[in-house]
Amino acid sequence: MEHASTFRILTIILFVLLAATGVYHRVRAARSGEKISRREEGLPIMILLRLFGFSLWMGLLLYMINPRWMAWSTLWLPPWLRWVGAALGVLALPLIYWMFSSLGTNVISLMELLASYPSPRSLKPWEQDRLILKTIQTFQGQYRSPYQRRIEFPNRNETPPGEREALEAIVQSLGTDGIPDTVAYLTEEEIMSSMAGLEQLGYYRESIMAALTMPTQPIDYRHFSF
């Protein structure tokens, strides 16, 4: 078949790059010492996944070694469609690298970070607002939102006049690519980069680190229309 050797070489190159990325991150994960129970996914699923995975990779390896060994499974496709597949494979490489890099990264929502503040319920409502805004302000330069919008944060009626102007000034100082709302998720790297500012606000490093190690809680959204 025309271009068959070209596509085989491309397959080998993509496989080597993918394998190198996967092995590197798997070795790195193994060094962390964290143990993962394979049986938590269920014995039938565990067996089926490994059987299908073995069949997939074995077929690919046999094709790369000698395509004639897999001739029985040949599916004719027009060259342009095969080139599209090759292009998609190349585009998938940075996404796969991002996936492996992101696995194991601890994240918490801004609400969970605020909950780690010492006695947040002892604060008055307007003081809680001030804590939220100053916490968001601390992440300026560390957090980059893909959405271009400024956070909306109206003042409460009971906010003292002097504090009202100060809070409005904080809102205006926040960029359009900062934390967009109070349910945004923050990575461990972003939090550690902002730790000095958080501690100045009264947060305890130990409480934040404890929140990072806890399972992330789901957030429910409610929309009411009157």
Side-chain angles (χ1 to χ4, degrees):
M1 184 183 295
E2 188 180 3
H3 303 303
S5 59
T6 301
F7 289 116
R8 176 169 170 259
I9 293 173
L10 285 173
T11 301
I12 294 174
I13 293 174
L14 289 173
F15 176 81
V16 170
L17 293 174
L18 174 61
T21 303
V23 169
Y24 168 76
H25 285 92
R26 287 184 180 276
V27 171
R28 186 178 177 184
R31 289 176 179 174
S32 69
E34 184 177 358
K35 302 297 183 182
I36 300 177
S37 176
R38 304 295 184 187
R39 293 187 177 275
E40 287 184 1
E41 60 193 4
L43 188 60
I45 297 296
M46 182 182 71
I47 294 175
L48 286 175
L49 280 177
R50 278 143 188 80
L51 285 176
F52 281 113
F54 176 79
S55 302
L56 172 65
W57 292 114
M58 184 57 64
L60 184 58
L61 286 171
L62 291 175
Y63 167 77
M64 290 188 294
I65 296 171
N66 189 342
R68 285 177 291 189
W69 292 347
M70 296 298 295
W72 59 271
S73 62
T74 300
L75 175 65
W76 186 91
L77 295 172
W80 68 266
L81 188 56
R82 302 185 76 181
W83 280 113
V84 169
L88 291 175
V90 173
L91 292 175
L93 286 175
L95 295 177
I96 292 172
Y97 177 82
W98 170 81
M99 177 195 71
F100 277 114
S101 300
S102 300
L103 288 174
T105 300
N106 292 326
V107 296
I108 58 174
S109 69
L110 178 61
M111 295 301 296
E112 290 172 310
L113 175 62
L114 292 167
S116 71
Y117 189 82
S119 304
R121 296 183 180 276
S122 65
L123 300 175
K124 297 178 181 178
W126 70 266
E127 290 176 327
Q128 294 178 5
D129 291 347
R130 182 177 60 184
L131 174 64
I132 293 172
L133 288 175
K134 287 190 173 183
T135 300
I136 293 174
Q137 189 180 40
T138 302
F139 285 92
Q140 283 200 111
Q142 306 300 333
Y143 181 98
R144 286 288 183 269
S145 173
Y147 309 106
Q148 295 296 315
R149 63 181 296 269
R150 191 181 300 276
I151 188 171
E152 298 178 4
F153 207 100
N155 268 314
R156 297 176 184 269
N157 293 330
E158 62 268 26
T159 303
E163 293 293 339
R164 180 184 298 272
E165 285 76 13
L167 295 184
E168 289 177 352
I170 293 177
V171 173
Q172 293 302 317
S173 71
L174 299 176
T176 57
D177 60 349
I179 295 177
D181 47 50
T182 56
V183 296
Y185 281 97
L186 308 167
T187 66
E188 182 175 359
E189 181 180 359
E190 291 164 344
I191 291 174
M192 296 306 296
S193 299
S194 307
M195 185 62 75
L198 293 173
E199 289 180 318
Q200 288 180 359
L201 292 178
Y203 287 90
Y204 294 149
R205 178 184 293 262
E206 295 77 10
S207 299
I208 295 176
M209 298 308 296
L212 281 168
T213 58
M214 295 177 63
T216 303
Q217 301 300 313
I219 297 177
D220 292 329
Y221 292 88
R222 296 290 187 272
H223 183 270
F224 297 94
S225 179
F226 299 94

